[in-house]
Amino acid sequence: MRKENVRTLNPPRILIAAAKSGSGKTTLTCALLEALKSRGLSVRAFKCGPDYIDPMFHQKVIGVPSRNLDTFFSDENGVRELFAAGEATCDISIVEGVMGLYDGLGGIKAEGSAYDLACTLKMPVVLIVDAHGMGRSLLPLIAGFLHYDVEKWICGVILNRVSESFYQTIAPVIEEELNVPVCGFFPNVKDLKIESRHLGLKMPQEIADLKAQTKRAGELFSEHISLEKILAAAREKTEAFPVREAKREKAKQAVRIGIAKDAAFCFYYEDNLRLLEEYGAEFIPFSPLSDEKLPEGIAGLILGGGYPELFAADLEKNAAMRKAVQNAVEKKMPVIAECGGFMYLHSALVDENGVSHAMCGVLPKECVYKGKLVRFGYVEVRERQPHFLNEGARILGHEFHYYDSEDNGADCVAKKPVSGKSWDCVHETDTCYMGFPHLYYPSNPAFARHFVEAAAQYEKQDARGK
């Protein structure tokens, strides 16, 4: 049962967006977060879109709590409700955009874009422009973005990868002719480039190096960009919005769920985990890399996405864990295995060098590196026969993988929301979901509820069997 509470919010917040991918959003967002922390401010971060990696970066490297916000996955109130959770505990929220400011579904729709999120949360936007190699041509570029901003959320511009002398020359021209504040510039530092790809985070020294880089980036940000202008915009140019907050009554009894969490399996939406907990899941972390057996007393198993291909040899060496997972699934223990977790359940994983590594053997096929993106982007997933969902219902998700299975399953159909292209996917029964799509459970909470209920039923049967 859920009870609703309606309130109006207007906490300080700002979106860091860009003209296109590769403009420096991640570097400058991380630098801003570091600079704000250095000032003693309590900060929280969000990532626009389905990306797992940037929120992990915010959390692991910078130490700032971070989650996803996505206007394709959630409706207007859903996005606002997710944003509202915990807003009273911080001084400011920083939202990192995705791709170019106006790039949404299929690259052509507004839905799913950073701008759509800005409109939903009624927050100002600082636009990053990679100005390296540009002169006065910056003006028509920025002017076009301002003209397309029908809601008038763009409140400032940052010029990336420019010299101080050029900045001093061009900034007054931009402000005079376009009537938009220029908040500062970020110099072209060749050995400083913070990118999502680093989030293999395979070794402790990599994390240490990234922390040093973000500290340096934060210092450069404070030196060349006006934090005062950004803070003022976050506090003064936002608009209040109503949010209906629905609270579920906490489950009366917890069900122990084993969840793979290590360097190989680390892709989890925080909102997925929170929803499962609301239905009664109690997470017991374990490592397929280093643990030899599953946690005692679990009644369900979650194998998230991640980097099994980077750790294939180590996963293969841990035969005891591979066998434990195989036995659990064969005993009908409820399991969710998405993308990397799905790859782990195959008989073997064939890496980019053509080397075959033994995996769990739940699925008697291989998962093979293809040398290119196999499937990428948002998907709508529907079951052929109802198992986790109500008949005819859909759940939303995302795919991004360079590996493909010899048998992707055919118990569900995935469809691209813009092109309508569809394909068979997923191995599914009443107790298992195994496939490449990363699902966003709040888009259809029945999925999470069914899994926890199946685990509770398994727990009862297991207790009777003993």
Side-chain angles (χ1 to χ4, degrees), residues 335 342 363 380-395 407-415 423-437 439 447:
V335 59
F342 174 55
L363 301 168
E380 301 172 355
V381 178
R382 297 180 189 271
E383 299 171 323
R384 292 191 183 280
Q385 297 294 328
H387 292 294
F388 278 61
L389 306 176
N390 296 324
E391 187 169 359
R394 67 172 188 171
I395 189 167
D407 182 6
N408 282 298
D411 295 311
C412 294
V413 177
K415 186 175 78 170
W423 59 92
D424 292 342
C425 62
V426 180
H427 296 266
E428 189 185 51
T429 67
D430 283 340
T431 59
C432 76
Y433 170 94
M434 303 180 290
F436 271 117
L439 302 180
F447 184 92

Short mmCIF file of all heavy atoms in Angstrom, two decimals, residues 335 342 363 380-395 407-415 423-437 439 447:
data_model
loop_
_atom_site.label_atom_id
_atom_site.label_comp_id
_atom_site.label_asym_id
_atom_site.label_seq_id
_atom_site.Cartn_x
_atom_site.Cartn_y
_atom_site.Cartn_z
N VAL A 335 16.59 -15.77 -9.93
CA VAL A 335 17.82 -15.07 -10.33
C VAL A 335 17.49 -13.99 -11.35
O VAL A 335 16.63 -14.16 -12.22
CB VAL A 335 18.85 -16.07 -10.92
CG1 VAL A 335 18.29 -16.80 -12.14
CG2 VAL A 335 20.14 -15.35 -11.31
N PHE A 342 24.53 -11.90 -17.24
CA PHE A 342 24.06 -12.85 -18.26
C PHE A 342 25.25 -13.52 -18.94
O PHE A 342 25.25 -14.74 -19.15
CB PHE A 342 23.21 -12.08 -19.28
CG PHE A 342 22.76 -12.87 -20.47
CD1 PHE A 342 22.05 -14.04 -20.35
CD2 PHE A 342 23.02 -12.39 -21.76
CE1 PHE A 342 21.62 -14.75 -21.47
CE2 PHE A 342 22.60 -13.08 -22.88
CZ PHE A 342 21.89 -14.27 -22.74
N LEU A 363 23.80 -21.61 -19.09
CA LEU A 363 23.38 -21.59 -20.49
C LEU A 363 24.44 -22.30 -21.32
O LEU A 363 25.60 -21.89 -21.32
CB LEU A 363 23.21 -20.14 -20.96
CG LEU A 363 22.18 -19.31 -20.18
CD1 LEU A 363 22.29 -17.84 -20.52
CD2 LEU A 363 20.78 -19.83 -20.46
N GLU A 380 12.21 -1.00 -25.10
CA GLU A 380 11.00 -1.41 -24.38
C GLU A 380 10.96 -2.93 -24.44
O GLU A 380 11.08 -3.51 -25.51
CB GLU A 380 9.76 -0.83 -25.05
CG GLU A 380 9.74 0.68 -25.14
CD GLU A 380 8.57 1.18 -25.98
OE1 GLU A 380 7.85 0.34 -26.56
OE2 GLU A 380 8.40 2.41 -26.06
N VAL A 381 10.81 -3.57 -23.30
CA VAL A 381 10.83 -5.04 -23.24
C VAL A 381 9.46 -5.55 -22.83
O VAL A 381 8.88 -5.10 -21.84
CB VAL A 381 11.91 -5.53 -22.25
CG1 VAL A 381 11.89 -7.06 -22.17
CG2 VAL A 381 13.29 -5.04 -22.67
N ARG A 382 8.93 -6.50 -23.62
CA ARG A 382 7.66 -7.15 -23.31
C ARG A 382 7.86 -8.66 -23.29
O ARG A 382 8.63 -9.21 -24.10
CB ARG A 382 6.59 -6.79 -24.34
CG ARG A 382 6.24 -5.30 -24.36
CD ARG A 382 5.17 -5.01 -25.41
NE ARG A 382 4.98 -3.58 -25.59
CZ ARG A 382 4.13 -2.83 -24.89
NH1 ARG A 382 3.38 -3.42 -23.97
NH2 ARG A 382 4.01 -1.54 -25.12
N GLU A 383 7.17 -9.34 -22.38
CA GLU A 383 7.25 -10.80 -22.29
C GLU A 383 6.30 -11.44 -23.30
O GLU A 383 5.22 -10.91 -23.57
CB GLU A 383 6.86 -11.25 -20.89
CG GLU A 383 7.76 -10.71 -19.79
CD GLU A 383 7.21 -11.01 -18.40
OE1 GLU A 383 5.97 -10.95 -18.24
OE2 GLU A 383 8.01 -11.31 -17.51
N ARG A 384 6.70 -12.58 -23.84
CA ARG A 384 5.78 -13.34 -24.70
C ARG A 384 4.71 -14.02 -23.84
O ARG A 384 3.55 -14.13 -24.27
CB ARG A 384 6.57 -14.37 -25.51
CG ARG A 384 7.48 -13.74 -26.55
CD ARG A 384 8.02 -14.79 -27.50
NE ARG A 384 8.95 -14.21 -28.46
CZ ARG A 384 8.60 -13.56 -29.56
NH1 ARG A 384 7.32 -13.39 -29.85
NH2 ARG A 384 9.51 -13.06 -30.38
N GLN A 385 5.10 -14.49 -22.69
CA GLN A 385 4.17 -15.05 -21.72
C GLN A 385 4.43 -14.35 -20.39
O GLN A 385 5.58 -14.14 -20.02
CB GLN A 385 4.37 -16.56 -21.56
CG GLN A 385 4.11 -17.37 -22.81
CD GLN A 385 2.64 -17.32 -23.23
OE1 GLN A 385 1.74 -17.22 -22.39
NE2 GLN A 385 2.39 -17.37 -24.54
N PRO A 386 3.39 -13.98 -19.64
CA PRO A 386 3.62 -13.24 -18.40
C PRO A 386 4.34 -14.09 -17.35
O PRO A 386 3.91 -15.20 -17.03
CB PRO A 386 2.20 -12.88 -17.94
CG PRO A 386 1.30 -13.85 -18.62
CD PRO A 386 1.96 -14.18 -19.92
N HIS A 387 5.45 -13.57 -16.87
CA HIS A 387 6.21 -14.20 -15.78
C HIS A 387 6.47 -13.18 -14.68
O HIS A 387 5.95 -13.28 -13.58
CB HIS A 387 7.53 -14.77 -16.30
CG HIS A 387 7.38 -15.94 -17.21
ND1 HIS A 387 6.88 -17.15 -16.79
CD2 HIS A 387 7.66 -16.08 -18.53
CE1 HIS A 387 6.86 -18.01 -17.81
NE2 HIS A 387 7.33 -17.38 -18.89
N PHE A 388 7.27 -12.16 -14.99
CA PHE A 388 7.59 -11.12 -14.02
C PHE A 388 6.62 -9.94 -14.11
O PHE A 388 6.51 -9.16 -13.17
CB PHE A 388 9.02 -10.60 -14.26
CG PHE A 388 10.10 -11.45 -13.66
CD1 PHE A 388 10.29 -12.77 -14.04
CD2 PHE A 388 10.96 -10.92 -12.70
CE1 PHE A 388 11.29 -13.54 -13.51
CE2 PHE A 388 11.96 -11.69 -12.14
CZ PHE A 388 12.14 -13.01 -12.55
N LEU A 389 5.95 -9.78 -15.23
CA LEU A 389 5.08 -8.64 -15.47
C LEU A 389 3.64 -9.10 -15.68
O LEU A 389 3.38 -10.28 -15.93
CB LEU A 389 5.54 -7.86 -16.70
CG LEU A 389 7.00 -7.39 -16.73
CD1 LEU A 389 7.31 -6.73 -18.07
CD2 LEU A 389 7.29 -6.44 -15.58
N ASN A 390 2.73 -8.15 -15.62
CA ASN A 390 1.34 -8.44 -15.97
C ASN A 390 1.24 -8.61 -17.49
O ASN A 390 2.04 -8.06 -18.25
CB ASN A 390 0.43 -7.31 -15.51
CG ASN A 390 0.42 -7.16 -14.00
OD1 ASN A 390 0.48 -8.14 -13.28
ND2 ASN A 390 0.35 -5.92 -13.53
N GLU A 391 0.26 -9.34 -17.93
CA GLU A 391 0.12 -9.64 -19.36
C GLU A 391 0.02 -8.36 -20.19
O GLU A 391 -0.75 -7.45 -19.89
CB GLU A 391 -1.12 -10.51 -19.59
CG GLU A 391 -1.23 -11.00 -21.03
CD GLU A 391 -2.31 -12.06 -21.20
OE1 GLU A 391 -2.95 -12.43 -20.19
OE2 GLU A 391 -2.49 -12.52 -22.33
N GLY A 392 0.85 -8.29 -21.22
CA GLY A 392 0.84 -7.15 -22.13
C GLY A 392 1.62 -5.95 -21.64
O GLY A 392 1.77 -4.96 -22.38
N ALA A 393 2.13 -5.99 -20.41
CA ALA A 393 2.85 -4.84 -19.86
C ALA A 393 4.28 -4.78 -20.40
O ALA A 393 4.83 -5.77 -20.89
CB ALA A 393 2.87 -4.92 -18.34
N ARG A 394 4.87 -3.61 -20.29
CA ARG A 394 6.24 -3.43 -20.73
C ARG A 394 7.09 -2.94 -19.57
O ARG A 394 6.58 -2.42 -18.57
CB ARG A 394 6.32 -2.40 -21.86
CG ARG A 394 5.98 -1.00 -21.40
CD ARG A 394 6.24 0.06 -22.45
NE ARG A 394 6.07 1.41 -21.87
CZ ARG A 394 6.38 2.53 -22.48
NH1 ARG A 394 6.85 2.51 -23.71
NH2 ARG A 394 6.22 3.70 -21.89
N ILE A 395 8.39 -3.10 -19.71
CA ILE A 395 9.36 -2.51 -18.79
C ILE A 395 10.45 -1.88 -19.65
O ILE A 395 10.74 -2.36 -20.75
CB ILE A 395 9.93 -3.56 -17.80
CG1 ILE A 395 10.75 -2.86 -16.71
CG2 ILE A 395 10.74 -4.63 -18.51
CD1 ILE A 395 11.07 -3.77 -15.53
N ASP A 407 22.96 -17.64 -28.02
CA ASP A 407 21.52 -17.85 -27.75
C ASP A 407 21.05 -16.75 -26.79
O ASP A 407 21.16 -16.88 -25.58
CB ASP A 407 21.28 -19.23 -27.15
CG ASP A 407 19.79 -19.49 -26.90
OD1 ASP A 407 18.96 -18.64 -27.29
OD2 ASP A 407 19.48 -20.53 -26.30
N ASN A 408 20.54 -15.66 -27.36
CA ASN A 408 20.09 -14.53 -26.54
C ASN A 408 18.74 -14.78 -25.87
O ASN A 408 18.30 -13.97 -25.05
CB ASN A 408 19.97 -13.28 -27.41
CG ASN A 408 21.32 -12.65 -27.68
OD1 ASN A 408 22.01 -12.23 -26.75
ND2 ASN A 408 21.71 -12.59 -28.94
N GLY A 409 18.10 -15.89 -26.20
CA GLY A 409 16.79 -16.17 -25.65
C GLY A 409 15.69 -15.60 -26.53
O GLY A 409 15.92 -14.75 -27.38
N ALA A 410 14.47 -16.06 -26.31
CA ALA A 410 13.33 -15.60 -27.10
C ALA A 410 12.06 -15.51 -26.26
O ALA A 410 10.95 -15.53 -26.81
CB ALA A 410 13.10 -16.56 -28.28
N ASP A 411 12.22 -15.36 -24.94
CA ASP A 411 11.05 -15.27 -24.07
C ASP A 411 10.50 -13.86 -23.98
O ASP A 411 9.40 -13.65 -23.47
CB ASP A 411 11.39 -15.80 -22.68
CG ASP A 411 11.71 -17.29 -22.69
OD1 ASP A 411 10.92 -18.04 -23.29
OD2 ASP A 411 12.75 -17.69 -22.14
N CYS A 412 11.27 -12.88 -24.46
CA CYS A 412 10.83 -11.49 -24.48
C CYS A 412 11.12 -10.88 -25.85
O CYS A 412 11.88 -11.45 -26.64
CB CYS A 412 11.56 -10.66 -23.41
SG CYS A 412 11.18 -11.13 -21.71
N VAL A 413 10.53 -9.75 -26.11
CA VAL A 413 10.81 -8.99 -27.33
C VAL A 413 11.24 -7.58 -26.92
O VAL A 413 10.55 -6.91 -26.13
CB VAL A 413 9.57 -8.90 -28.24
CG1 VAL A 413 9.87 -8.04 -29.46
CG2 VAL A 413 9.12 -10.30 -28.66
N ALA A 414 12.38 -7.16 -27.42
CA ALA A 414 12.86 -5.79 -27.19
C ALA A 414 12.56 -4.95 -28.42
O ALA A 414 12.69 -5.42 -29.55
CB ALA A 414 14.35 -5.80 -26.90
N LYS A 415 12.15 -3.70 -28.19
CA LYS A 415 11.83 -2.81 -29.30
C LYS A 415 12.43 -1.44 -29.07
O LYS A 415 12.37 -0.90 -27.96
CB LYS A 415 10.31 -2.68 -29.47
CG LYS A 415 9.90 -1.88 -30.70
CD LYS A 415 8.39 -1.87 -30.89
CE LYS A 415 7.73 -0.89 -29.94
NZ LYS A 415 6.29 -0.67 -30.26
N TRP A 423 13.59 -7.28 -31.68
CA TRP A 423 14.32 -8.54 -31.74
C TRP A 423 13.98 -9.38 -30.51
O TRP A 423 13.54 -8.87 -29.49
CB TRP A 423 15.83 -8.32 -31.82
CG TRP A 423 16.40 -7.54 -30.67
CD1 TRP A 423 16.91 -8.03 -29.51
CD2 TRP A 423 16.50 -6.11 -30.58
NE1 TRP A 423 17.32 -7.01 -28.69
CE2 TRP A 423 17.09 -5.83 -29.32
CE3 TRP A 423 16.17 -5.05 -31.43
CZ2 TRP A 423 17.35 -4.51 -28.90
CZ3 TRP A 423 16.42 -3.76 -30.99
CH2 TRP A 423 16.99 -3.49 -29.76
N ASP A 424 14.18 -10.69 -30.65
CA ASP A 424 13.96 -11.60 -29.53
C ASP A 424 15.11 -11.47 -28.54
O ASP A 424 16.26 -11.23 -28.91
CB ASP A 424 13.90 -13.05 -30.02
CG ASP A 424 12.67 -13.32 -30.86
OD1 ASP A 424 11.71 -12.54 -30.78
OD2 ASP A 424 12.68 -14.32 -31.62
N CYS A 425 14.77 -11.68 -27.26
CA CYS A 425 15.81 -11.60 -26.23
C CYS A 425 15.32 -12.29 -24.96
O CYS A 425 14.13 -12.59 -24.82
CB CYS A 425 16.17 -10.14 -25.92
SG CYS A 425 14.79 -9.16 -25.27
N VAL A 426 16.23 -12.55 -24.06
CA VAL A 426 15.98 -12.98 -22.68
C VAL A 426 15.53 -14.44 -22.55
O VAL A 426 14.64 -14.91 -23.26
CB VAL A 426 14.95 -12.06 -21.98
CG1 VAL A 426 14.70 -12.51 -20.54
CG2 VAL A 426 15.42 -10.60 -21.99
N HIS A 427 16.17 -15.11 -21.62
CA HIS A 427 15.73 -16.42 -21.12
C HIS A 427 14.96 -16.14 -19.84
O HIS A 427 15.51 -15.57 -18.89
CB HIS A 427 16.93 -17.33 -20.82
CG HIS A 427 17.74 -17.67 -22.02
ND1 HIS A 427 17.53 -18.82 -22.76
CD2 HIS A 427 18.76 -17.01 -22.63
CE1 HIS A 427 18.40 -18.86 -23.77
NE2 HIS A 427 19.16 -17.77 -23.70
N GLU A 428 13.69 -16.54 -19.79
CA GLU A 428 12.86 -16.16 -18.65
C GLU A 428 11.90 -17.29 -18.28
O GLU A 428 11.35 -17.97 -19.13
CB GLU A 428 12.07 -14.89 -18.98
CG GLU A 428 11.34 -14.30 -17.77
CD GLU A 428 10.49 -13.11 -18.17
OE1 GLU A 428 9.68 -13.23 -19.12
OE2 GLU A 428 10.61 -12.07 -17.52
N THR A 429 11.74 -17.45 -16.97
CA THR A 429 10.71 -18.32 -16.41
C THR A 429 10.06 -17.54 -15.27
O THR A 429 10.31 -16.35 -15.11
CB THR A 429 11.30 -19.63 -15.87
OG1 THR A 429 12.12 -19.33 -14.72
CG2 THR A 429 12.15 -20.34 -16.92
N ASP A 430 9.27 -18.21 -14.47
CA ASP A 430 8.68 -17.53 -13.31
C ASP A 430 9.72 -17.18 -12.24
O ASP A 430 9.43 -16.38 -11.34
CB ASP A 430 7.59 -18.41 -12.67
CG ASP A 430 6.30 -18.39 -13.47
OD1 ASP A 430 6.11 -17.44 -14.26
OD2 ASP A 430 5.50 -19.32 -13.31
N THR A 431 10.90 -17.78 -12.34
CA THR A 431 11.92 -17.54 -11.30
C THR A 431 13.20 -16.92 -11.83
O THR A 431 14.09 -16.61 -11.03
CB THR A 431 12.27 -18.84 -10.56
OG1 THR A 431 12.77 -19.79 -11.51
CG2 THR A 431 11.06 -19.41 -9.84
N CYS A 432 13.35 -16.76 -13.13
CA CYS A 432 14.62 -16.23 -13.62
C CYS A 432 14.43 -15.24 -14.77
O CYS A 432 13.52 -15.38 -15.59
CB CYS A 432 15.56 -17.36 -14.04
SG CYS A 432 15.16 -18.12 -15.62
N TYR A 433 15.30 -14.25 -14.79
CA TYR A 433 15.41 -13.30 -15.90
C TYR A 433 16.89 -13.25 -16.26
O TYR A 433 17.73 -12.86 -15.44
CB TYR A 433 14.91 -11.91 -15.51
CG TYR A 433 15.25 -10.86 -16.55
CD1 TYR A 433 14.34 -10.53 -17.55
CD2 TYR A 433 16.50 -10.23 -16.56
CE1 TYR A 433 14.67 -9.60 -18.53
CE2 TYR A 433 16.83 -9.30 -17.54
CZ TYR A 433 15.92 -8.99 -18.52
OH TYR A 433 16.25 -8.08 -19.49
N MET A 434 17.24 -13.68 -17.48
CA MET A 434 18.63 -13.72 -17.91
C MET A 434 18.71 -13.14 -19.33
O MET A 434 18.20 -13.75 -20.28
CB MET A 434 19.16 -15.16 -17.89
CG MET A 434 19.05 -15.84 -16.54
SD MET A 434 19.68 -17.55 -16.51
CE MET A 434 18.42 -18.38 -17.49
N GLY A 435 19.34 -11.97 -19.47
CA GLY A 435 19.41 -11.36 -20.79
C GLY A 435 20.27 -10.11 -20.80
O GLY A 435 20.72 -9.63 -19.76
N PHE A 436 20.52 -9.57 -21.99
CA PHE A 436 21.37 -8.39 -22.13
C PHE A 436 20.71 -7.08 -21.66
O PHE A 436 21.41 -6.21 -21.14
CB PHE A 436 21.83 -8.24 -23.58
CG PHE A 436 23.12 -8.95 -23.87
CD1 PHE A 436 23.16 -10.00 -24.78
CD2 PHE A 436 24.30 -8.58 -23.24
CE1 PHE A 436 24.35 -10.66 -25.06
CE2 PHE A 436 25.49 -9.23 -23.50
CZ PHE A 436 25.53 -10.28 -24.41
N PRO A 437 19.42 -6.86 -21.83
CA PRO A 437 18.88 -5.55 -21.43
C PRO A 437 19.05 -5.26 -19.94
O PRO A 437 18.74 -6.09 -19.09
CB PRO A 437 17.39 -5.67 -21.79
CG PRO A 437 17.34 -6.69 -22.87
CD PRO A 437 18.39 -7.69 -22.51
N LEU A 439 17.47 -3.43 -17.12
CA LEU A 439 16.12 -2.94 -16.89
C LEU A 439 16.10 -1.86 -15.81
O LEU A 439 16.90 -1.88 -14.87
CB LEU A 439 15.20 -4.08 -16.49
CG LEU A 439 15.08 -5.24 -17.48
CD1 LEU A 439 14.12 -6.30 -16.95
CD2 LEU A 439 14.64 -4.75 -18.86
N PHE A 447 7.93 -5.92 -11.75
CA PHE A 447 9.10 -6.76 -11.98
C PHE A 447 9.82 -7.02 -10.66
O PHE A 447 10.15 -8.17 -10.32
CB PHE A 447 10.04 -6.09 -12.98
CG PHE A 447 11.23 -6.92 -13.37
CD1 PHE A 447 11.18 -7.76 -14.47
CD2 PHE A 447 12.40 -6.89 -12.62
CE1 PHE A 447 12.28 -8.54 -14.83
CE2 PHE A 447 13.50 -7.66 -12.96
CZ PHE A 447 13.44 -8.49 -14.07
#
